[in-house]
Amino acid sequence: FPSHDTGSIISVMDGVSQIGERNVVVIDKGARDGLLPGHELDIYQRGDMARDPFSTKQSDRVKLPDELAGMLMVFRTFDKVSYALVMKAEKPLHVLDRVQTP
């Protein structure tokens, strides 16, 4: 899986809304992207939008950086998607959180 490539969690098994350790998730990268069973990927929560404290306008907002939130291991790959097990979750994870190589 090329290090510059990123993907997203697109679904979680068992219909839960928050994702934690030992949950199975589906990511939008697969064998055609170079993923293989056993690959480990970091999970990043998307940064929030916050008011810019240095702006003169109240409406100016900035995107906060994405934050490392956990790690998953791919166990089954298909052409365009993969199943993965969340091995570590520092915070509650959500669908659309970003995944990439460590």
Side-chain angles (χ1 to χ4, degrees):
F1 189 62
S3 60
H4 64 279
D5 216 0
T6 63
S8 297
I9 295 173
I10 58 172
S11 179
V12 59
M13 306 309 274
D14 300 327
V16 296
S17 60
Q18 289 192 342
I19 304 164
E21 289 181 12
R22 295 185 299 278
N23 280 127
V24 174
V25 296
V26 181
I27 60 173
D28 64 354
K29 296 293 176 181
R32 74 173 186 178
D33 303 297
L35 273 182
L36 296 170
H39 278 171
E40 293 181 351
L41 304 175
D42 285 338
I43 306 168
Y44 287 85
Q45 280 188 331
R46 297 196 185 273
D48 289 331
M49 295 297 289
R51 192 182 85 69
D52 184 351
F54 299 104
S55 175
T56 56
K57 289 191 238 167
Q58 284 286 337
S59 61
D60 279 353
R61 301 181 74 70
V62 293
K63 183 186 178 300
L64 299 175
D66 293 348
E67 193 173 340
L68 182 62
M71 188 263 297
L72 57 77
M73 183 180 68
V74 174
F75 67 85
R76 179 79 163 100
T77 59
F78 298 92
D79 193 37
K80 297 180 182 179
V81 298
S82 296
Y83 288 122
L85 178 67
V86 176
M87 304 294 286
K88 182 168 58 168
E90 305 288 333
K91 333 169 162 248
L93 306 170
H94 304 90
V95 170
L96 298 182
D97 281 349
R98 182 171 55 88
V99 296
Q100 71 179 48
T101 51

